[in-house]
Amino acid sequence: QVQLVESGGGLVQPGGSLRLSCVASGFTFSSYTLKWYRQAPGQGRELVAVITSVRDSTNYADSVKGRFTISRDNAKNMVYLQMDSLKPEDTAVYYCCATYMSLNAYWGQGTQVTVSS
């Protein structure tokens, strides 16, 4: 019943932009903190961006700060990750995740982002 489905990944050139989307269903979306993670080949899963459920406060990994923007639309049950000035090291599978305190954590299936010339 609970689903998170990412989309928007693809192949882009360095310096390019990409907007990832994640649509959720099956839970009270507006009550959840939303996060984007990424995992590069042979690497652990890295927390990229966070947006809270209360005041839409955001936090970013140092590696993406100033380049990525997380946002949410509670009316549409969607969370977005706008990625600008992309670098090859941004290449990874990107996952959206919804959490409610320490009780629940829901994950999407991931979408591939490849930054290459």
Side-chain angles (χ1 to χ4, degrees):
Q1 189 63 247
V2 171
Q3 285 194 90
L4 293 169
V5 181
E6 302 95 334
S7 62
L11 175 64
V12 296
Q13 296 182 20
S17 296
L18 207 59
R19 190 197 198 203
L20 305 183
S21 300
C22 177
V23 61
S25 60
F27 62 98
T28 306
F29 182 84
S30 61
S31 298
Y32 280 66
T33 292
L34 304 173
K35 305 173 182 177
W36 285 96
Y37 286 82
R38 68 185 182 187
Q39 187 166 24
Q43 304 290 331
R45 192 163 293 186
E46 174 190 18
L47 179 61
V48 174
V50 179
I51 185 165
T52 68
S53 64
V54 181
R55 298 181 181 178
D56 285 0
S57 298
T58 59
N59 284 286
Y60 301 92
D62 288 342
S63 58
V64 307
K65 193 172 298 181
R67 300 187 298 119
F68 289 12
T69 304
I70 187 172
S71 60
R72 67 191 295 163
D73 186 339
N74 289 338
K76 296 180 179 180
N77 282 9
M78 296 195 73
V79 58
Y80 307 95
L81 186 67
Q82 178 67 43
M83 305 185 295
D84 299 318
S85 302
L86 283 162
K87 305 174 180 179
E89 50 263 46
D90 295 320
T91 296
V93 177
Y94 284 71
Y95 301 87
C96 62
C97 177
T99 65
Y100 180 74
M101 298 185 179
S102 61
L103 299 178
N104 293 323
Y106 303 130
W107 291 83
Q109 83 290 344
T111 186
Q112 176 71 48
V113 172
T114 302
V115 185
S116 176
S117 298

